[in-house]
Structures are given as structure tokens and as C-alpha cells.
């Protein structure tokens, strides 16, 4: 037993006072004489005995009464089991990602967790609340009640290590209690292991009863016809015994197509044919799983011609004019002597077609061109000066030309995962008529190669950044050195190299992805582009690049939907934003990773445990009760005991 005020125990010396009073309080008896005292003598003896017992009882009760009063003022208590952590600061991490939309026994997991926080958190408890997107430091349940009641689902996935890092940066002289409320979807075991072991971490894991879910994953143009687009919608089914779901495509609010999808496999692709014109709509399904992944917004811009210039001899560029036709491209060929350097910045792609040497002025112009979002295609010449070419390539990456070897090589391997071949082949082709080269350079490539020779050396490689790419061939592809111009690969390769980063396809961005988006518009330095729809408006990070503007959206917008890009009041382009589908699989719970941490049932049990283990057992009230009891006993002894 311990005392809050042990110095008061010195007053126990006062217990000697009632002892002294009782020892020295003697009553003198007056003698009275009677004629016959035989009977009175016996009565006198009996009265003295009872008086002596009464005095000892009064002495005992008064001493106990005084002792209880002194002990009560000293405030005795028994220490708590976990008394070392009584001063800990409390942090509550609430997962409000989309997987918390799943329904448990008492409704949606997030809403139920919020309700428990509101009902079971003591009003006098100070804590900090962290969600996926917001932080509320040093608050209490009264101050944050409205915020919790209006909390929204976040497009930012739950990242435990990020939340722990923010708590760690929030300095405190005390240890920290961290309560993490999450369904454990998508937790990374390595990031959990790296969490701060010095803090006391408790997990509350609400569980979903309905694990089945269907998600719209992606949409892309499968084929472009004269008057129609054939688009493909990819769906994913998670769980078992998935029932058929209806799927529909809307252009704005107009229904374009509708069907029902049966899931005999987990992945399903559905093709639709829509008119070949600007599109600003969405794909929608109806299922009983998570609502957030039932809609996928997408836009198709009007087809704009790409500007392509080939620098080299005219006769060597004839094959390019057959690929870059007038219906989709503005193609121009220029010799190095007649080149207008000012025209380069207006191009989408530049082809260096077998130039023996690249002038220094052209090198500087092309470096700026690539930095501002232009694509560069380099076809070497057999007469290339290696030092000149390699010095030029250092502006973009580590690809270098080595020796030129007059050895015949077959181009036998296609990297189907390379961006050049995305949506080009329905199946991976293994047997085709291999093109060849009679002589070629050896490339020391650092980027991903798209085509390989039969000796596994790179024939076509690329150096890419966020807004542009530099493509490098290992050999001249004129008809004297190669039959690559007659290969079926020539058209998709040069077509995709030219239109890379152009938005003639589907505009469909993921919220939280930092990949840039290029808008083809000529702006003044003071002009600013804005993005808006009927419910939300924001200004993205932007940079003017010649005839383009690079936009970076990061975590904007807050809500998925179809938006429009404006230059003041002038509408420039449609754009769509969607949530990441990383939390669609409700079966991917990482609950087994948490076995080394404390798992509790509810927020109520957490605070009950704190009350039991960390609150000292105060017993001074019992001494007050005993003091009153002894006072009552003393009163009874005085009144009724003779």
C-alpha cells in the first residue's frame, strides 16, 4: 500500500491523546452511609466492572476513529499493474480507405468504428486522431464529434508505416499508446515489422461478412475502325460463386450499351463498339460488394494530328511517309542543310534518319525538345562518328554505341511488356518472318529494350522519362542494310514511337498517381489552367513546354469523376479520374501478420483495460467509511451501554 501524502501519517502520534485522557480521567466517589448496605455492596461491584469495559471500548473506537481519519487524509492506494504507462499519450489511427465500405454484422465497417469511438471514448480523454488523409492533434471526443460524424472515404490507401512515421515525428516526453482501427486489407509485412517497437500498438480489426466483390479495372481502345471504336472493359471478380452482374456504358448521361456479364473466370474482358467521336462518360456495374469500384470514368478526345519531322536524306525517309499518313499525321522531311530549327519545338516527334554527324546546335535543340515532352527516334548511320553520337546520347541516359560489326543478325525477340507493344498484339507471336540486319552497332543499353537480335543484343531500346522517350536503333534500317522496312513490325513500332504520350486514346487517370498529363495548347507565361466539374474545382501543378502544358495532379481531385480542363473560360479538353483498385479484394486481409501485436475487440474494451491496469486502486474512501462506522459505534456505546 502506498500513500499520496505520507507526511500526514505523523499525525498518528495524536493517538496518544485518547490514551492519556482515558488513563488520567479518574472520577472521585462520595461516600453515603446507609443503615443496611448488604445489598448495595454487591450492586456497586457490578457497576464498576461494566464501567471499566465501557471505557476500554470507547478508547478503542476513538483511537480507531482518529486513525481512520488520519489515514484517509494520507490517501492510501494500491499501485496499478501497468503504472509505468499511466502517462502515455494516446493516438488513434482510423483506416478510412474504400475497403472499409464492406459490411460487417452491424453495418459498414467505417461507420460502425466511428460510432464506437463516439459512444465509448471518455470525454475527458485527450488523444490524436489520424486518418488516411487528415490529422487531428491533441483533441478530445467533444471537439472532434462533428468531424467523425462527417468523415468520408479516402482515395489514399491505408499505409500503416506512413501513419506510424507521422506519430513518431510528433514529439512527446511520454511513451505512446497507438490504437489502429483497420480491416488489415493490403498491409505490408515488412512495413509492419519496421514499426516503432517502443510504442504500445493495439489493433482493432473489424471484419466484413460479405467477401464477394466485382470491380471495373480498366478500359482501353482495342481497335480503331473508320467510324467506330472497339473498346475493351476489364472486370475482376473476387470471392466465390459470383452471380452475373449488369454492365452499362454511358456517354455523359446517355446510355450507349448494356449487357450482363457471367463470371466463369476471375478476370473477364467485355468488348463494346461505340461511335468514333469525342466521349465523356463512364462504365457502370451493379453488385452487392464495394460501391467505390463499380464505376470507371473515361474520356476519349477528338483525334488531333501529330506533327512529325524526319531529318535526313529524302529517299531514306520515303518509308516514313507511308506510315505517317495525312489522316493522322502532319509529316515533314528535311535535310540537315535546310532544317528550320524553330520548327522542331512544334513537333511531337523527331526522327534522326541516318545522320553521319549531329551538329552541336541541333544537339542542344533536341535536348530541350525531349525535356519539354517531345519524342526522339534515332536511326544510326553506318558512317556515324561514335564520339559525336555518344556525346549526344549522354544528354538522355546511359545508352552508348560501341563497335560497328558487319555480321548478319536476325531480329527474333519481341518484348511484349514494352510500352511500344501495349495493345498491339492479341497473342504473343513466336513464329514470324524474322527481319535481319547485315551490319549493326553494339548497344550498351540501360533502358528496357523493345526488340532483340538472335544473340540477345538489343536492336531497339528506349530511354524514357515521365513525359517523353528517346528510341535508339542499333543498326541502319535502309533497304541495303536491312529488310526491317518490309517487316510487319515496322508500322506498329514507328506508329507507337510517334504518338507516345499523345492523348488520342483514352484519358483515364488514377487519383494519387503523379504521372504527368500533357495538354496541347499554346499559353502565355501568366496563363493558368484549371480543372473542374459541377462539384469540384482545383488548379494542378503545371509547367509550360513550348506548345504543351504539363499537368501533375498528385492527390487531386478528391472525388472520382469526369472533369474538364479550362484556360480561363475556354474549354480545352476532357479528362477523367478514378480511384485506385488496390482494395477491391476483400479476401486479401493481412490479419495473420499481426500475431505479435495486441489485438482487442473494441474501443470500449481498450478503455476498460486502461481503467483496470493503469488506474491506481484508491482506498481512502474506505477509511472514511470506517471512520463513520467507528463514530456510530461510539455513539451506540455511550447511549446504550451502562
Amino acid at each position: 500500500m502506498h500513500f499520496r501524502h505520507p507526511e500526514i501519517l505523523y499525525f498518528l502520534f495524536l493517538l496518544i491523546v485518547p490514551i492519556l485522557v482515558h488513563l488520567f480521567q479518574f472520577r472521585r466517589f462520595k461516600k453515603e452511609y446507609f443503615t443496611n448496605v448488604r445489598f448495595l455492596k454487591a450492586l456497586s461491584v457490578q457497576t464498576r466492572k461494566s464501567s471499566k469495559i465501557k471505557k476500554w471500548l470507547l478508547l478503542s473506537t476513538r483511537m480507531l476513529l482518529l486513525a481512520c481519519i488520519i489515514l484517509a487524509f494520507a490517501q492510501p492506494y494500491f499501485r496499478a499493474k501497468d503504472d509505468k504507462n499511466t502517462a502515455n499519450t494516446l493516438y488513434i489511427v482510423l483506416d478510412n480507405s474504400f475497403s472499409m465500405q464492406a459490411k460487417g454484422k452491424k453495418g459498414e465497417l467505417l461507420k460502425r468504428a466511428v460510432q464506437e469511438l463516439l459512444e465509448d471514448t471518455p470525454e475527458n480523454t485527450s488523444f490524436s486522431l489520424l486518418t488516411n488523409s487528415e490529422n487531428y492533434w491533441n483533441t478530445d471526443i467533444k471537439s472532434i464529434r462533428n468531424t467523425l460524424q462527417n468523415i468520408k472515404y479516402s482515395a489514399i490507401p491505408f499505409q500503416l508505416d506512413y501513419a506510424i512515421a507521422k506519430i513518431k515525428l510528433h514529439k512527446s516526453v511520454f511513451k505512446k499508446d497507438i490504437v489502429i482501427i483497420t480491416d488489415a486489407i493490403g498491409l505490408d509485412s515488412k512495413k509492419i515489422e519496421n514499426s516503432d517497437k517502443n510504442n504500445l500498438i493495439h489493433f482493432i480489426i473489424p471484419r466484413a461478412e460479405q467477401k464477394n466483390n466485382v470491380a471495373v479495372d480498366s478500359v482501353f481502345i482495342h481497335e480503331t475502325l473508320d467510324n467506330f471504336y472497339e473498346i475493351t472493359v476489364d472486370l475482376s471478380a473476387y470471392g466465390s460463386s459470383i452471380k452475373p452482374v449488369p454492365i452499362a456504358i454511358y456517354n455523359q448521361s446517355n446510355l450507349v450499351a448494356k449487357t450482363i456479364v457471367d463470371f466463369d473466370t476471375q478476370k473477364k474482358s467485355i468488348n463494346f463498339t461505340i461511335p468514333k467521336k469525342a466521349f465523356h462518360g463512364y462504365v457502370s456495374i451493379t453488385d452487392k460488394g464495394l460501391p467505390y469500384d463499380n464505376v470507371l470514368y473515361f474520356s476519349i478526345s477528338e483525334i488531333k494530328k501529330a506533327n512529325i519531322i524526319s531529318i535526313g536524306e529524302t529517299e531514306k525517309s520515303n518509308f516514313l511517309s507511308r506510315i505517317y499518313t495525312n489522316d493522322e499525321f502532319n509529316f515533314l522531311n528535311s535535310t540537315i542543310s535546310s532544317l528550320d530549327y524553330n520548327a522542331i519545338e512544334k513537333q511531337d516527334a523527331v526522327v534522326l534518319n541516318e545522320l553521319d554527324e549531329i551538329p552541336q546546335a541541333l544537339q542542344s535543340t533536341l535536348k530541350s525538345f525531349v525535356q519539354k515532352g517531345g519524342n526522339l527516334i534515332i536511326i544510326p548511320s553506318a558512317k556515324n562518328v561514335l564520339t559525336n553520337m555518344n556525346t549526344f546520347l549522354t544528354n538522355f541516359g546511359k545508352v552508348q554505341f560501341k563497335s560497328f560489326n558487319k555480321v548478319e543478325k536476325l531480329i527474333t525477340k519481341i518484348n511484349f511488356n514494352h510500352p511500344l507493344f501495349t495493345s498491339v498484339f492479341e497473342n504473343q507471336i513466336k513464329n514470324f518472318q524474322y527481319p535481319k540486319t547485315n551490319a549493326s552497332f553494339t548497344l550498351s543499353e540501360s533502358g528496357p529494350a523493345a526488340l532483340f537480335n538472335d544473340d540477345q543484343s538489343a536492336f531497339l531500346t528506349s530511354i524514357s522519362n515521365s513525359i517523353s522517350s528517346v528510341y535508339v536503333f542499333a543498326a541502319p534500317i535502309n533497304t541495303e542494310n536491312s529488310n526491317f522496312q518490309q517487316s510487319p513490325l515496322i508500322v506498329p513500332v514507328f506508329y507507337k514511337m510517334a504518338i507516345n504520350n499523345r492523348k488520342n486514346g483514352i484519358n483515364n487517370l488514377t487519383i494519387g498517381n503523379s504521372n504527368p498529363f500533357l495538354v496541347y495548347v499554346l499559353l502565355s507565361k501568366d496563363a493558368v489552367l484549371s480543372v473542374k466539374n459541377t462539384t469540384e474545382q482545383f488548379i494542378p501543378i503545371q509547367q509550360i513546354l513550348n506548345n504543351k502544358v504539363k499537368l501533375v495532379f498528385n492527390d487531386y481531385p478528391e472525388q472520382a469523376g469526369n472533369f474538364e480542363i479550362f484556360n480561363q473560360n475556354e474549354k480545352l479538353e476532357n479528362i477523367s479520374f478514378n480511384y485506385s483498385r488496390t482494395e477491391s479484394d476483400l479476401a486479401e486481409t493481412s490479419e495473420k501478420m499481426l500475431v505479435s501485436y495486441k489485438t482487442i475487440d473494441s474501443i470500449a474494451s481498450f478503455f476498460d483495460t486502461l481503467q483496470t491496469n493503469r488506474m491506481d486502486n484508491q482506498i481512502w474512501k474506505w477509511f472514511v467509511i470506517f471512520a463513520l462506522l467507528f463514530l456510530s459505534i461510539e455513539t451506540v456505546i455511550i447511549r446504550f451501554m451502562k
Side-chain angles (χ1 to χ4, degrees):
M1 186 169 62
H2 303 270
F3 297 89
R4 299 287 182 195
H5 306 289
E7 65 276 5
I8 295 181
L9 295 177
Y10 287 109
F11 286 94
L12 289 174
F13 288 110
L14 294 176
L15 293 177
I16 198 173
V17 174
I19 295 175
L20 294 175
V21 170
H22 281 71
L23 289 177
F24 296 102
Q25 185 181 11
F26 298 105
R27 181 179 299 176
R28 293 183 179 181
F29 296 96
K30 182 178 180 181
K31 292 182 179 181
E32 294 288 343
Y33 295 94
F34 294 92
T35 57
N36 192 344
V37 294
R38 183 168 60 90
F39 297 104
L40 293 178
K41 186 176 182 181
L43 181 62
S44 175
V45 172
Q46 182 179 0
T47 303
R48 286 184 179 180
K49 287 182 178 179
S50 62
S51 176
K52 189 175 182 181
I53 294 173
K54 181 178 180 180
K55 288 180 179 180
W56 282 109
L57 287 175
L58 286 175
L59 174 62
S60 300
T61 54
R62 287 169 180 170
M63 289 182 65
L64 290 173
L65 170 63
L66 182 59
C68 287
I69 293 174
I70 295 171
L71 290 173
F73 277 100
Q75 294 188 19
Y77 67 93
F78 291 109
R79 279 185 178 174
K81 296 179 182 178
D82 193 17
D83 62 315
K84 294 181 180 179
N85 295 312
T86 53
N88 286 10
T89 52
L90 177 59
Y91 297 84
I92 299 175
V93 180
L94 179 60
D95 178 5
N96 63 328
S97 59
F98 286 114
S99 62
M100 294 287 283
Q101 287 181 330
K103 292 181 174 59
K105 293 182 179 180
K106 299 181 180 180
E108 290 186 17
L109 301 183
L110 177 63
K111 293 182 179 179
R112 184 57 194 167
V114 168
Q115 189 63 31
E116 288 185 359
L117 283 173
L118 293 174
E119 292 177 353
D120 300 326
T121 304
E123 292 186 352
N124 60 345
T125 299
S126 177
F127 62 91
S128 297
L129 176 69
L130 289 81
T131 67
N132 295 19
S133 54
E134 301 292 340
N135 306 320
Y136 306 93
W137 304 106
N138 302 324
T139 185
D140 55 58
I141 200 64
K142 286 184 178 180
S143 304
I144 207 170
R145 184 177 300 276
N146 290 335
T147 300
L148 281 171
Q149 290 174 340
N150 298 314
I151 193 169
K152 296 180 180 179
Y153 293 98
S154 172
I156 303 174
F158 181 65
Q159 297 173 307
L160 177 59
D161 58 323
Y162 183 55
I164 297 296
K166 287 193 290 186
I167 293 174
K168 190 175 182 180
L169 290 173
H170 198 251
K171 301 297 183 182
S172 174
V173 296
F174 304 106
K175 291 181 68 175
K176 300 170 182 177
D177 284 313
I178 303 174
V179 180
I180 301 170
I181 306 174
T182 177
D183 56 2
I185 298 293
L187 291 183
D188 190 326
S189 59
K190 292 182 180 179
K191 294 179 179 179
I192 294 176
E193 291 173 359
N194 293 332
S195 60
D196 193 350
K197 296 294 184 179
N198 294 324
N199 297 320
L200 301 179
I201 299 179
H202 311 262
F203 279 91
I204 299 175
I205 306 176
R207 295 172 177 85
E209 290 192 323
Q210 171 60 264
K211 299 286 187 178
N212 287 356
N213 184 49
V214 178
V216 185
D217 285 337
S218 62
V219 58
F220 59 90
I221 297 177
H222 178 71
E223 188 175 356
T224 301
L225 306 175
D226 291 339
N227 298 313
F228 297 95
Y229 290 120
E230 186 176 292
I231 66 172
T232 299
V233 179
D234 288 337
L235 305 175
S236 293
Y238 303 99
S240 59
S241 302
I242 303 296
K243 296 182 179 180
V245 298
I247 180 172
I249 294 182
Y250 292 85
N251 187 3
Q252 296 181 344
S253 59
N254 300 320
L255 179 64
V256 176
K258 189 174 184 179
T259 187
I260 293 179
V261 183
D262 291 315
F263 288 94
D264 49 355
T265 59
Q266 183 180 354
K267 300 289 185 179
K268 200 77 173 180
S269 296
I270 309 297
N271 292 332
F272 295 93
T273 301
I274 62 175
K276 189 178 179 181
K277 59 182 181 180
F279 188 96
H280 200 43
Y282 57 93
V283 181
S284 174
I285 63 171
T286 303
D287 80 319
K288 295 182 179 180
L290 299 176
Y292 93 96
D293 54 14
N294 288 350
V295 177
L296 185 77
Y297 298 93
F298 70 99
S299 302
I300 302 176
S301 301
E302 295 181 0
I303 295 178
K304 299 176 182 178
K305 290 185 178 183
N307 298 320
I308 313 294
I309 186 171
S310 174
I311 306 173
E313 298 178 10
T314 303
E315 57 271 17
K316 291 184 178 181
S317 299
N318 288 335
F319 77 98
L320 293 174
S321 62
R322 294 191 296 270
I323 298 172
Y324 302 134
T325 55
N326 292 331
D327 56 338
E328 293 187 68
F329 299 93
N330 295 318
F331 177 71
L332 173 66
N333 184 78
S334 174
T335 62
I336 192 69
S337 59
S338 61
L339 178 63
D340 180 7
Y341 281 44
N342 293 326
I344 290 179
E345 67 178 18
K346 300 177 183 178
Q347 307 303 310
D348 296 300
V350 173
V351 182
L352 297 183
N353 193 3
E354 300 190 27
L355 296 181
D356 295 339
E357 189 171 358
I358 305 174
Q360 184 61 45
L362 181 57
Q363 291 187 29
S364 300
T365 302
L366 291 176
K367 178 182 178 181
S368 175
F369 170 75
V370 172
Q371 290 175 343
K372 294 181 178 179
N375 294 323
L376 178 61
I377 304 167
I378 301 174
I379 306 171
S381 168
K383 301 178 182 179
N384 266 134
V385 178
L386 290 184
T387 54
N388 175 265
M389 180 63 74
N390 289 335
T391 301
F392 173 57
L393 288 175
T394 56
N395 293 317
F396 313 110
K398 296 182 179 180
V399 175
Q400 294 283 280
F401 284 98
K402 293 185 178 180
S403 58
F404 185 72
N405 302 310
K406 294 183 178 181
V407 178
E408 182 178 300
K409 294 181 181 181
L410 294 178
I411 303 165
T412 59
K413 183 180 178 181
I414 301 173
N415 180 3
F416 292 97
N417 295 322
H418 196 279
L420 279 180
F421 299 113
T422 303
S423 305
V424 172
F425 301 101
E426 293 184 1
N427 300 305
Q428 294 190 7
I429 302 172
K430 295 183 179 179
N431 297 317
F432 65 99
Q433 185 177 1
Y434 300 131
K436 67 177 183 177
T437 57
N438 297 324
S440 61
F441 291 93
T442 301
L443 291 178
S444 61
E445 86 282 357
S446 61
L451 296 172
F452 294 87
N453 295 311
D454 52 0
D455 63 353
Q456 301 305 311
S457 61
F459 172 73
L460 172 61
T461 189
S462 62
I463 310 167
S464 299
N465 57 38
S466 60
I467 58 175
S468 62
S469 296
V470 177
Y471 300 96
V472 183
F473 284 88
I477 58 173
N478 58 69
T479 54
E480 295 180 1
N481 187 63
S482 174
N483 63 349
F484 187 72
Q485 292 186 21
Q486 286 75 47
S487 169
L489 292 173
I490 188 72
V491 174
V493 166
F494 274 89
Y495 184 89
K496 292 295 289 288
M497 286 192 297
I499 68 169
N500 184 35
N501 293 329
R502 282 194 63 83
K503 305 305 177 185
N504 284 340
I506 288 179
N507 298 341
N508 179 2
L509 280 71
T510 301
I511 297 175
N513 194 322
S514 59
N515 289 339
F517 182 87
L518 296 180
V519 179
Y520 287 77
V521 61
L522 190 62
L523 291 182
S524 62
K525 292 184 179 180
D526 297 331
V528 175
L529 300 184
S530 61
V531 181
K532 59 184 176 182
N533 64 4
T534 55
T535 60
E536 192 172 352
Q537 179 176 352
F538 63 95
I539 296 175
I541 300 171
Q542 50 199 275
Q543 179 183 2
I544 298 176
L545 307 171
N546 293 337
N547 61 336
K548 299 181 284 291
V549 178
K550 182 178 76 171
L551 303 180
V552 178
F553 301 99
N554 294 329
D555 293 332
Y556 287 97
E558 295 181 357
Q559 302 293 324
N562 288 319
F563 289 76
E564 296 170 335
I565 301 175
F566 284 87
N567 176 20
Q568 296 181 350
N569 295 323
E570 178 189 1
K571 177 184 172 182
L572 300 178
E573 194 165 353
N574 294 327
I575 188 171
S576 301
F577 293 91
N578 293 285
Y579 302 121
S580 172
R581 268 38 178 174
T582 55
E583 304 201 11
S584 296
D585 188 357
L586 295 175
E588 283 194 351
T589 178
S590 305
E591 192 171 339
K592 293 181 180 178
M593 301 178 186
L594 307 178
V595 292
S596 59
Y597 294 89
K598 292 183 179 179
T599 303
I600 51 182
D601 296 330
S602 64
I603 198 70
S605 62
F606 170 74
F607 284 111
D608 288 343
T609 303
L610 290 189
Q611 180 75 20
T612 303
N613 295 338
R614 296 187 183 176
M615 295 296 291
D616 295 331
N617 188 8
Q618 305 287 343
I619 58 174
W620 61 270
K621 295 179 182 178
W622 288 102
F623 284 97
V624 173
I625 294 172
F626 288 143
L628 294 174
L629 177 62
F630 289 129
L631 180 63
S632 302
I633 292 173
E634 181 185 1
T635 304
V636 171
I637 292 173
I638 293 174
R639 291 189 59 182
F640 298 102
M641 190 171 182
K642 301 298 183 180

